[in-house]
Amino acid sequence: MTNDNGETDQDIAGDVLPETLDDTAVPVELGELFPWHRPRKQYIRHFQWVEYAKRLIGRLCDGHSLHTGPEGKNEIRYLTLPGTDYLDVRLISASCADKGCVLTSTGFLATETGNPLKARAEVRQDALIKAGHITDRSYTVWRRLEEVSSTASNAYRELRRRGPFHIVNIDACGSPAPPTAAHAQRMVDAIYRIVELQLSSSVSGWLMFVTVDVRNESVSAETLEKLTNAIRQNATESDAFRSGFMDLFGQEHATVDAAIGKISADDGEGFVRLFSLGLAKWMLHLALSKQWGLKMHSSYYYSTSDHPHHRPTMPCLAFEFVPPAPALADPFEVTNAEPAPGGPTGDFSLRALDKVKAMEDLDAKVAGDSELRHKLIDQTRELLSEAGYANAALAKLDGFAAVEAGGSSS
Amino acid sequence: MTTAAAQRGIEELAGRIRASAGTNQPVETTLATSERIIARVTDGIYREPWAAFRELIANAYDADATRVVVETGAPDFEQVTVRDNGNGMSPDTLAYVLRSIGGSSKRTQTGAALHTSAVGDADQSPGGRPLIGKIGIGLFAVAQLTQHFQIITKAKGERLRTSATVKLKTHDEDRLKDSSADSEYVAGSVTVTSEEVPESELQTHGTSVVLYALRPEIRRVLQSMRRWEATFAEGIDGKPVTERPIYHIGVSAGVISKNARPIDSNLPWAESDEPKERFEKLFDAAARGSGKSSKPANLEHFDEYLRLIWKLSLSLPLGYIHGHPFELSGDEGIIFYNVPDGRGQAVEINVPAGQSLRSNLKLAAGGSDPCGGFTVLLDGIELLRPIDLPKHLLKQSRVGAPVMMVSKEEAPFSDEVLERAGGKLSFEAYLYWNSKIVPKDTAGVLLRVRDASGTLFDPSFLNYQVSEQTRLRQITAEIFVHDGLDSAINIDRESFNYSHPHFLYIQRWLHKALRLLVNRLKARADEDLQRERVRQAAETRTSLAQSAMRVWSERLGDSADPPLAEFDNDSAATDVGGTEIDWHNVPLQGTAEQASAIAVVLEAYGVLSGLSARNRAALINDILRVLNSAS
């Protein structure tokens, strides 16, 4: 039977029932380790995220440009994909505390995670809040970050409500632009939306970390082509850039175009570096369109490939958006005063090229330095212990030491 | 009482009843209650979703929290979190809560042992707040919203952090039918996990409640779905059945119908506004109303979400948007009155300049919080009581200034009747009058028991039957009950037991106070009217005198001597320019000023001189009679 609205009795019956419960929100036990517990990831956390966060927080504190929260302290806003461990959040919070600031974290976690993992994440976030590591305005949005790409989405609404952010950390395990995805909700679309929002509402410099899975078969050729257009354009306009590019990518190639074509079809280190430079150049263009600058910082890569031959797949990139100069043009020369100093300086493109060239292979670095490896494992152990991991799980950390000593990609 | 013990008690009583047939002795016993009623409670007893939020936040207040953060997940409302920094629960307390639904440890001696009540005063929280909760069903208010929730809690100094995940069952009376009357009803299942915290987190404390998968119907209510659907439906006149809310949270794509486009939110605040600013802007939007004066005061220009925020703000123990009413002082333009114990009229209270009502009358309501304050943040909005008592009239009125009646009461129940009365009853109250109450929604009386309210503003003033409709729409009243009335609140906290002596006492007291207030308002308006009449009379006198004197000057020249020394209010002039008028033998037919003015005019033309003193008075009288009969 249907009513005037075309609604069947079955529709009504379906609507009045409580939600079905597939999995109960009982926090999962912390008995297993995951790839993000490996020493190389701790290296990124410690030497990239925390290191640059510390520098930025120091500058922001000195510049008195931070907002004071109800705690009476300067507030740093952090956008992240925290997983269920919130390890990055914990470390960045410590950097904030060192500078007398508080951290408000906004996390995005996909609902597909399942209720037991959600429940675990809720426990972890709650513990961080109660311990005062992050403010009680911290929140985890149970959505994929990619959803922010749509300005009509609630994910975007949450982003607007909680931003702008001082630090954005996109530590994703997937591809930024899968070849099969014709829609506009890819990670690269989310990056675009975040940068757009940040540039329209930030008043001070901010950091963006990007870790994504980049391999020939997982990145849309069309998107890569468009990313590399920014490189081509720069190479046409700047001899120094072209020369630097050829020096890095293709002395054996006749042209920039030929080099890009060859590397795009290839895989591994060159592919990762090319993607990294393309992303940097694209984001630099986005920044410049709003008179911002973009500094690339020390970046790395490692491999998650199970290919027998070591094949880098994960670039770990660090960018800093530099706010526009305060200088105000006076076209009629009314004032005798000089425009204020400051603002972006230097050639950001050449800097990006240098930083891409200097990207380090983390697998090799950790494998080659036993002392570093064990230090990273100790740090991870401490973090995981605080996060509530069982001793049995922590004992498995030593297994990572052996794996990474061999440079294995598992 | 255990099931077996209960059964033994029933059998024993039955035996005594049988035995009484032989002894002719009546059987005395006490009435006992069954726990079966609690089963009903676990499936939700509240009429609107906001009540469930209210109960969760009230729980945090009772746990001495100073800050509660609520995230509703608006506008989809898929998951809700209520996080507080209160005392948290040890495993013992949590176990008690889970196994004693409807048998709260609060307000009992057990409370002190479980740290839910103060040691030495079971009526207070460990931190010294008057406890709002009493039955132990507050947590199960969430059943209204979801059947699946997680409690994460830790007590200060406790080594364990605990997570309890609850899955409730849908209440089914048929299932109860099959069980024995005293059997334990299983409302749902709980999975509890606990883990040791690091040394650095030993002192952390608080409770968070995470509500998963809100019921579809509750989400539809919070999304104002019926309202939106009605805005798209056309009536027979071709116009929408309902107008769109002016301020709303918006609707996501595909919610109203499968392919429906999203509706962008229109909130009264900006994203960059601070939490307090947001609330102030919400208040302003409520005060502005729908822009249609004919619309009733039901905040219909708000969607359900904004109304939820509004209702929570009114009901919770929060600070006021512009300060507590008892912080008003004597020099702010408000006229204060008392509410006398006896039969007399209300008497004006002289509150010295710079001194607050609270200090002057030794009032307790709204005093400092023993825990250091209570802040509630809902989706980034700081909730405050949306009640503002302006210090000036919002519309011109004969009353002259806002009037506030303030009282501190203790019901005079003697020790002998205290048990019949249901215990002691004491309260403080104010009734504030202004020519206009803004927002309209705050006209009425609001009862706060232990600083919390579930009933919100009652525009009928507890069913006040006297026809004072205009005046009642101009009154905001709050009654802060310190002792008593608790037992008169029904289990859902949204209504009262109207036969309870405490409720009846307050109702009668309020009606008396309303009568006194209205009397004072009428008296003040009458006084103002009287003053206006006197002023008008004086103006008339002046005008009469001036007109007569102008005629005198025009006829006799500016330098002529004045005809009389002054215009007397009380007696007509007996000598005008040296001409006598005999008012002793001719009674005056009009006012003295009129008679004097006519005499001056007549004498200016020399009319009086030819008459006798008596006829002069008679002529003036006749003129007055003609003039007054004409008017």
Side-chain angles (χ1 to χ4, degrees):
Chain A
M1 188 185 286
T2 62
N3 61 17
D4 290 346
N5 301 321
E7 196 176 34
T8 67
D9 291 354
Q10 193 57 50
D11 292 338
I12 298 170
D15 274 356
V16 300
L17 292 175
E19 296 272 348
T20 48
L21 188 55
D22 297 329
D23 50 354
T24 313
V26 176
V28 287
E29 281 185 47
L30 298 175
E32 291 297 322
L33 294 185
F34 295 94
W36 55 88
H37 297 141
R38 291 176 60 161
R40 64 186 185 191
K41 197 72 190 187
Q42 178 59 19
Y43 186 95
I44 291 296
R45 279 192 283 266
H46 186 82
F47 291 101
Q48 192 185 56
W49 300 345
V50 169
E51 180 58 31
Y52 290 109
K54 267 184 183 171
R55 292 186 201 177
L56 177 82
I57 295 165
R59 282 201 302 279
L60 292 176
C61 286
D62 293 345
H64 306 289
S65 56
L66 292 170
H67 169 264
T68 306
E71 300 84 2
K73 293 179 176 179
N74 285 332
E75 182 189 38
I76 298 289
R77 292 184 190 173
Y78 180 53
L79 175 65
T80 180
L81 307 177
T84 51
D85 292 336
Y86 294 71
L87 299 180
D88 58 326
V89 176
R90 176 68 187 95
L91 286 172
I92 301 284
S93 77
S95 303
C96 289
D98 288 346
K99 294 285 181 186
C101 300
V102 290
L103 184 71
T104 298
S105 148
T106 299
F108 275 75
L109 260 176
T111 47
E112 294 80 20
T113 307
N115 281 333
L117 278 169
K118 275 173 84 173
R120 166 54 59 193
E122 289 287 359
V123 169
R124 175 66 175 148
Q125 181 178 245
D126 196 58
L128 291 172
I129 291 172
K130 298 287 160 54
H133 296 313
I134 52 176
T135 71
D136 59 10
R137 293 167 317 277
S138 300
Y139 184 65
T140 300
V141 183
W142 293 104
R143 296 183 182 283
R144 292 162 63 241
L145 183 65
E146 288 90 326
E147 289 179 42
V148 304
S149 314
S150 163
T151 53
S153 69
N154 290 321
Y156 181 68
R157 191 192 300 243
E158 291 286 357
L159 197 71
R160 285 184 57 154
R161 186 184 136 199
R162 296 168 194 281
F165 304 94
H166 300 101
I167 306 167
V168 176
N169 191 351
I170 301 174
D171 179 21
C173 53
S175 163
T180 51
H183 54 73
Q185 292 210 359
R186 305 163 303 166
M187 189 55 84
V188 72
D189 303 314
I191 291 173
Y192 165 75
R193 191 65 71 204
I194 291 166
V195 171
E196 180 186 63
L197 191 64
Q198 286 283 109
L199 295 186
S200 69
S201 51
S202 292
V203 291
S204 56
W206 58 278
L207 287 170
M208 182 179 234
F209 302 113
V210 178
T211 306
V212 280
D213 188 283
V214 173
R215 50 189 101 190
N216 189 291
E217 68 272 22
S218 73
V219 176
S220 147
E222 191 188 345
T223 304
L224 186 65
E225 178 73 7
K226 288 174 181 171
L227 279 177
T228 52
N229 279 342
I231 300 173
R232 289 188 183 89
Q233 187 186 332
N234 205 166
T236 310
E237 292 166 358
S238 162
D239 288 343
F241 185 84
R242 187 177 60 252
S243 154
F245 178 85
M246 294 305 281
D247 184 36
L248 172 60
F249 285 103
Q251 284 172 334
E252 72 276 23
H253 300 295
T255 63
V256 167
D257 231 15
I260 289 175
K262 171 75 174 66
I263 299 160
S264 299
D266 206 350
D267 207 355
E269 184 192 322
F271 189 84
V272 166
R273 286 188 201 273
L274 183 70
F275 171 86
S276 302
L277 183 62
L279 187 74
K281 283 293 305 171
W282 174 60
M283 291 211 298
L284 175 56
H285 276 274
L286 295 179
L288 290 173
S289 70
K290 292 276 188 182
Q291 285 80 49
W292 283 68
L294 180 84
K295 268 186 193 173
M296 187 167 178
H297 289 306
S298 298
S299 297
Y300 306 87
Y301 57 79
Y302 59 83
S303 173
T304 52
S305 165
D306 49 10
H307 195 276
H309 303 295
H310 180 71
R311 164 172 94 136
T313 52
M314 300 287 284
C316 310
L317 311 171
F319 303 101
E320 182 175 342
F321 285 79
V322 185
L328 185 64
D330 177 13
F332 301 105
E333 299 178 347
V334 174
T335 177
N336 293 331
E338 290 293 319
T345 54
D347 187 322
F348 296 116
S349 296
L350 286 179
R351 180 186 169 100
L353 197 57
D354 288 345
K355 291 296 175 186
V356 169
K357 190 175 179 180
M359 282 173 77
E360 285 187 83
D361 181 347
L362 266 189
D363 290 319
K365 188 177 183 76
V366 173
D369 189 338
S370 163
E371 191 183 339
L372 172 68
R373 199 165 56 245
H374 285 101
K375 190 176 159 191
L376 295 171
I377 285 174
D378 288 345
Q379 287 174 355
T380 308
R381 180 176 287 112
E382 197 179 324
L383 274 176
L384 295 185
S385 171
E386 187 193 280
Y389 274 77
N391 286 334
L394 299 179
K396 295 175 189 168
L397 277 170
D398 294 323
F400 279 152
V403 170
E404 300 220 350
S408 164
S409 59
S410 64
Chain B
M1 195 183 285
T2 63
T3 304
Q7 189 56 38
R8 277 199 303 277
I10 291 165
E11 285 167 7
E12 187 261 341
L13 177 61
R16 282 167 58 202
I17 293 168
R18 285 201 176 84
S20 71
T23 62
N24 281 335
Q25 290 297 310
V27 176
E28 297 279 348
T29 186
T30 52
L31 295 173
T33 54
S34 163
E35 289 175 8
R36 180 168 164 169
I37 187 65
I38 297 302
R40 182 69 193 78
V41 168
T42 57
D43 200 36
I45 53 168
Y46 302 97
R47 277 180 289 188
E48 295 182 68
W50 76 272
F53 285 87
R54 178 195 69 210
E55 291 301 308
L56 288 172
I57 299 170
N59 269 358
Y61 180 83
D62 280 355
D64 293 335
T66 57
R67 214 171 138 80
V68 182
V69 177
V70 182
E71 292 285 353
T72 67
D76 286 350
F77 306 100
E78 284 172 358
Q79 181 173 317
V80 170
T81 310
V82 179
R83 192 186 315 283
D84 74 53
N85 65 350
N87 296 325
M89 290 183 273
S90 66
D92 301 316
T93 312
L94 181 67
Y96 188 92
V97 166
L98 295 174
R99 295 293 298 168
S100 315
I101 302 165
S104 175
S105 62
K106 293 176 191 173
R107 313 227 204 152
T108 67
Q109 294 309 314
T110 317
L114 292 173
H115 307 292
T116 54
S117 303
V119 177
D121 187 349
D123 247 7
Q124 291 190 345
S125 72
R129 282 178 180 160
L131 287 165
I132 298 171
K134 54 178 179 174
I135 301 172
I137 58 166
L139 181 61
F140 286 86
V142 301
Q144 197 78 14
L145 307 179
T146 182
Q147 292 188 307
H148 186 201
F149 61 97
Q150 180 189 15
I151 307 162
I152 305 165
T153 189
K154 184 187 165 299
K156 191 174 185 177
E158 173 64 54
R159 194 157 281 284
L160 296 178
R161 176 187 301 117
T162 311
S163 163
T165 306
V166 179
K167 278 196 299 179
L168 292 171
K169 293 179 178 173
T170 301
H171 184 73
D172 181 357
E173 290 291 340
D174 287 343
R175 198 146 46 92
L176 280 179
K177 249 178 358 197
D178 299 335
S179 59
S180 64
D182 57 350
S183 66
E184 193 177 59
Y185 177 77
V186 176
S189 62
V190 192
T191 309
V192 184
T193 59
S194 63
E195 53 202 32
E196 282 201 16
V197 300
E199 196 68 25
S200 61
E201 293 179 22
L202 205 57
Q203 298 306 311
T204 64
H205 53 92
T207 300
S208 299
V209 182
V210 186
L211 314 183
Y212 294 92
L214 262 65
R215 292 174 188 261
E217 180 55 23
I218 291 293
R219 288 174 60 192
R220 277 196 289 271
V221 171
L222 292 170
Q223 289 166 334
S224 309
M225 210 36 57
R226 291 209 172 86
R227 174 85 178 266
W228 284 111
E229 283 165 357
T231 66
F232 294 115
E234 285 183 358
I236 48 171
D237 56 357
K239 292 180 179 167
V241 173
T242 305
E243 288 175 34
R244 290 170 66 130
I246 297 173
Y247 298 105
H248 56 84
I249 191 70
V251 185
S252 298
V255 171
I256 294 175
S257 62
K258 198 177 170 190
N259 298 315
R261 295 163 63 86
I263 298 172
D264 286 339
S265 63
N266 181 33
L267 296 167
W269 58 82
E271 272 157 7
S272 55
D273 287 335
E274 291 294 308
K276 232 175 212 168
E277 271 180 289
R278 289 176 184 217
F279 192 82
E280 279 166 3
K281 290 186 178 175
L282 178 78
F283 179 82
D284 291 344
R288 281 196 298 278
S290 61
K292 293 173 184 167
S293 56
S294 58
K295 293 286 182 188
N298 60 0
L299 295 177
E300 70 162 24
H301 57 311
F302 283 4
D303 69 352
E304 281 300 328
Y305 172 75
L306 295 177
R307 286 193 219 180
L308 173 141
I309 294 175
W310 187 265
K311 288 172 184 174
L312 282 175
S313 307
L314 275 176
S315 76
L316 292 167
L318 303 165
Y320 286 74
I321 186 163
H322 297 140
H324 194 283
F326 290 168
E327 277 155 22
L328 289 166
S329 64
D331 54 348
E332 295 189 284
I334 298 178
I335 303 160
F336 299 115
Y337 284 99
N338 72 353
V339 181
D341 294 344
R343 289 200 171 83
Q345 286 296 331
V347 176
E348 194 165 340
I349 308 168
N350 181 24
V351 181
Q355 193 180 43
S356 70
L357 272 174
R358 182 180 295 112
S359 148
N360 186 264
L361 300 177
K362 300 191 169 34
L363 302 169
S368 62
D369 178 76
C371 299
F374 187 60
T375 303
V376 178
L377 231 63
L378 187 143
D379 292 342
I381 307 151
E382 180 172 344
L383 305 191
L384 294 161
R385 281 187 184 157
I387 299 171
D388 180 37
L389 307 182
K391 294 154 191 167
H392 58 276
L393 289 177
L394 296 184
K395 249 174 43 183
Q396 209 179 356
S397 162
R398 286 202 179 281
V399 179
V403 173
M404 190 165 170
M405 204 167 233
V406 189
S407 190
K408 183 174 181 172
E409 296 289 324
E410 181 160 350
F413 298 135
S414 63
D415 288 347
E416 295 78 50
V417 301
L418 214 51
E419 192 180 326
R420 276 200 297 139
K424 194 178 158 191
L425 172 68
S426 71
F427 58 90
E428 293 168 356
Y430 74 84
L431 288 83
Y432 167 89
W433 174 90
N434 199 315
S435 45
K436 193 176 169 189
I437 294 296
V438 173
K440 282 183 189 175
D441 185 65
T442 56
V445 64
L446 192 148
L447 265 72
R448 299 192 186 281
V449 181
R450 297 164 172 260
D451 221 17
S453 168
T455 51
L456 307 185
F457 274 106
D458 170 11
S460 81
F461 288 86
L462 309 185
N463 207 18
Y464 188 52
Q465 294 295 340
V466 179
S467 176
E468 293 284 358
Q469 290 310 312
T470 307
R471 292 284 190 215
L472 294 186
R473 282 198 296 271
Q474 295 174 325
I475 297 170
T476 292
E478 284 186 273
I479 298 176
F480 306 96
V481 181
H482 297 309
D483 296 298
L485 195 67
D486 228 3
S487 341
I489 305 175
N490 289 333
I491 199 165
D492 61 359
R493 290 185 198 279
E494 289 170 17
S495 57
F496 289 98
N497 169 1
Y498 296 135
S499 62
H500 194 284
H502 287 184
F503 177 81
L504 290 170
Y505 185 93
I506 287 181
Q507 185 185 41
R508 294 274 293 274
W509 178 89
L510 175 69
H511 294 174
K512 169 187 156 180
L514 277 171
R515 276 194 300 276
L516 290 171
L517 175 60
V518 170
N519 284 348
R520 292 320 306 162
L521 294 172
K522 281 179 179 163
R524 289 194 74 86
D526 285 348
E527 284 164 19
D528 186 65
L529 185 62
Q530 205 55 45
R531 278 195 297 274
E532 187 174 313
R533 282 180 179 155
V534 169
R535 194 177 62 247
Q536 281 173 350
E539 282 169 8
T540 306
R541 271 200 306 279
T542 308
S543 174
L544 276 172
Q546 283 173 347
S547 300
M549 293 305 285
R550 199 178 308 120
V551 172
W552 184 266
S553 299
E554 284 167 4
R555 294 295 301 172
L556 304 176
D558 288 341
S559 57
D561 288 336
L564 37 86
E566 59 174 2
F567 279 78
D568 194 334
N569 304 343
D570 301 326
S571 52
T574 53
D575 183 331
V576 177
T579 303
E580 286 185 15
I581 304 169
D582 181 6
W583 289 115
H584 295 293
N585 294 305
V586 182
L588 180 62
Q589 297 291 318
T591 67
E593 301 90 354
Q594 285 175 319
S596 300
I598 289 170
V600 169
V601 171
L602 291 174
E603 187 52 18
Y605 281 84
V607 174
L608 295 182
S609 304
L611 301 173
S612 67
R614 189 171 179 154
N615 276 344
R616 289 169 191 154
L619 172 62
I620 295 167
N621 255 354
D622 285 344
I623 295 171
L624 279 173
R625 202 178 299 137
V626 171
L627 290 177
N628 289 340
S629 67
S631 66

